[in-house]
């Protein structure tokens, strides 16, 4: 009996040791982050040049209690260094100012005490910005400089961009009654719009979009609304090829020539045998949207279109509407 108990104790001891060892392995594995998910934080680099928008006091040391030695007028200045953690967004109780050492031509290296939001560089620009939503105007590229003016959706000209080390941007735009004003972190804009102002012919049925990106939100063919061939007035164009247009009756909306029925489609009455699952497309000239797939079967086609790459597309009447297929692909 004593031997039996001893064997039991030894077995239990071994089990406990193994359990402790296994638990330690799990703890170590959990404590060590995977390199696939762990990224070392890299603070932003202090801009080599920053733009001063107002008169800025100069100090020999990062201490404003002794008073300023001189004052700089608005200009670009070359930076040397900054206080530790200058890049951290101000928190509660933080005055939001940061000490930055700069170079001057007559006093050598001096310190300035800047609001966190004023640390950045002004870059000249010559581009048009479409305001998709209403946007507030600011007198400076600072959230604290909010005015009571709000612009309705429209396209404006931008002549400069203020870029902060954290990647934020403010856009200086031209207005006819207030002069230059700022858009600070606007909600919904399109950059680099091309102003057109000319007539545009739509040779086939074309998808009408209420917004420039409507096609990306279409969930079913019933949500796609095509307008008949016509001539419209093209107002502007995005970098991705969407056009903001106006019809003769004054309605404005968006189109993209890629989302139109193809030019040169021929009327047919053929039965097409599908040998495998076949994707169903809204139009053959764009890779999306796609509305499911047809299984191997025979379908009736009423139009065909030969694409420039030599493939032949067929338009069919489906339970989901009139859509396009590309058999055997």
């Amino acid at each position: 009996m004593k031997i039996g108990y001893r064997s039991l104790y030894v077995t239990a001891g071994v089990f406990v040791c193994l359990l402790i060892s296994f638990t330690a392995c799990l703890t170590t594995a959990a404590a060590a982050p995977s390199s696939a998910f762990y990224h070392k934080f890299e603070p932003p680099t202090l801009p080599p040049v920053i733009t001063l928008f107002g008169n800025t006091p100069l100090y020999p040391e990062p201490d404003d209690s002794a008073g300023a030695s001189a004052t700089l007028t608005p200009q670009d200045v070359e930076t040397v260094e900054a206080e530790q953690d200058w890049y951290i967004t101000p928190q509660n109780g933080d005055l939001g100012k940061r000490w930055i050492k700069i170079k001057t031509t007559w006093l050598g290296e001096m310190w300035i005490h800047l609001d966190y939001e004023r640390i950045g560089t002004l870059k000249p620009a010559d581009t048009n910005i479409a305001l998709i939503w209403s946007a507030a105007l600011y007198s400076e590229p600072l959230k604290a400089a909010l005015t009571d003016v709000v612009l309705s959706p429209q396209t404006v000209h931008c002549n400069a961009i203020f870029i902060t080390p954290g990647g934020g941007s403010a856009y200086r735009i031209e207005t006819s009654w207030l002069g230059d004003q700022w858009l600070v972190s606007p909600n919904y804009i399109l950059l680099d719009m091309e102003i057109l102002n000319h007539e545009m012919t739509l040779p086939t049925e074309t998808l009408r979009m209420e917004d420039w990106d409507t096609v990306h939100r279409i969930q079913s063919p019933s949500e796609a609304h095509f307008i008949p061939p016509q001539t419209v007035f093209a107002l502007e164009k995005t970098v991705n090829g969407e056009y903001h247009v106006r019809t003769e009756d004054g309605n404005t909306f968006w189109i993209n020539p890629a989302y139109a029925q193809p030019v040169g489609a021929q009327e047919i009455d053929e039965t097409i045998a599908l040998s495998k699952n076949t994707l169903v497309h809204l139009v053959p000239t764009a890779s999306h949207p796609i509305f499911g797939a047809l299984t191997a079967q025979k379908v009736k086609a009423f139009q065909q279109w030969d694409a420039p790459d030599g493939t032949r597309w067929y338009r069919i009447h489906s339970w989901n509407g009139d859509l396009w297929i590309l058999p055997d692909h």
Side-chain angles (χ1 to χ4, degrees):
M1 292 296 294
K2 291 182 180 180
I3 295 176
Y5 278 121
R6 183 177 181 183
S7 299
L8 179 62
Y9 294 153
V10 171
T11 302
V14 171
F15 174 76
V16 171
C17 290
L18 290 174
L19 181 61
I20 293 174
S21 176
F22 178 70
T23 304
C25 290
L26 288 179
T27 304
T28 303
S34 169
S35 59
F37 299 98
Y38 176 73
H39 298 282
K40 181 181 178 181
F41 171 72
E42 294 291 343
T45 302
L46 181 68
V49 174
I50 58 177
T51 302
L52 305 179
F53 287 92
N55 292 335
T56 305
L58 294 175
Y59 302 89
E61 299 293 336
D63 180 5
D64 51 14
S65 61
S69 300
T71 300
L72 280 182
T73 56
Q75 59 185 279
D76 286 347
V77 293
E78 186 178 350
T79 62
V80 178
E81 61 176 314
E83 67 173 87
Q84 186 178 7
D85 298 336
W86 63 270
Y87 50 83
I88 295 179
T89 304
Q91 306 297 321
N92 292 336
D94 184 350
L95 296 179
K97 285 183 172 290
R98 302 290 184 262
W99 285 102
I100 299 176
K101 181 184 283 189
I102 65 169
K103 294 180 180 179
T104 70
T105 56
W106 78 105
L107 291 175
E109 296 180 353
M110 300 290 287
W111 290 87
I112 58 176
H113 208 191
L114 275 188
D115 288 326
Y116 174 81
E117 286 187 287
R118 293 183 183 273
I119 303 174
T121 307
L122 187 68
K123 301 288 187 181
D126 181 13
T127 188
N128 299 298
I129 299 176
L131 308 179
I132 305 302
W133 293 347
S134 297
L137 292 184
Y138 296 75
S139 58
E140 294 184 83
L142 311 170
K143 292 182 179 179
L146 177 66
T147 71
D148 57 359
V149 179
V150 177
L151 292 184
S152 59
Q154 59 186 281
T155 298
V156 295
H157 184 256
C158 170
N159 57 32
I161 303 175
F162 182 67
I163 304 172
T164 66
S169 298
Y171 305 90
R172 191 174 69 192
I173 65 169
E174 301 163 0
T175 70
S176 58
W177 74 105
L178 293 174
D180 288 351
Q181 295 289 300
W182 290 88
L183 301 172
V184 178
S185 301
N187 288 326
Y188 196 6
I189 62 174
L190 295 176
L191 299 175
D192 301 325
M193 295 293 293
E194 179 183 353
I195 304 301
L196 300 176
N197 291 329
H198 61 66
E199 288 188 341
M200 179 180 184
T201 300
L202 308 180
T204 63
E205 290 184 341
T206 303
L207 180 68
R208 171 182 171 141
M209 302 186 294
E210 294 305 318
D211 299 306
W212 69 275
D213 59 347
T214 294
V215 68
H216 302 293
R217 300 193 300 273
I218 292 178
Q219 300 296 316
S220 69
S222 62
E223 298 175 10
H225 302 289
F226 286 85
I227 58 175
Q230 59 187 280
T231 297
V232 296
F233 191 77
L235 302 169
E236 55 196 346
K237 177 185 177 183
T238 72
V239 293
N240 294 321
E242 294 90 4
Y243 291 79
H244 194 198
V245 302
R246 183 178 65 233
T247 58
E248 290 184 354
D249 57 9
N251 290 327
T252 60
F253 48 89
W254 295 81
I255 63 167
N256 186 332
Y259 297 97
Q261 301 304 337
V263 175
Q266 299 177 0
E267 300 296 324
I268 61 171
D269 182 12
E270 295 183 15
T271 298
I272 309 299
L274 305 180
S275 60
K276 60 181 181 180
N277 289 349
T278 303
L279 297 177
V280 182
H281 299 254
L282 180 65
V283 292
T285 49
S287 59
H288 66 279
I290 294 174
F291 302 110
L294 297 177
T295 58
Q297 59 183 285
K298 291 182 178 181
V299 294
K300 292 283 291 184
F302 68 95
Q303 279 187 332
Q304 76 174 37
W305 177 69
D306 294 330
D309 62 3
T311 55
R312 174 164 291 182
W313 291 77
Y314 294 93
R315 195 178 186 190
I316 63 172
H317 298 302
S318 76
W319 64 271
N320 217 6
D322 294 343
L323 300 168
W324 291 86
I325 59 173
L326 182 61
D328 301 326
H329 281 79

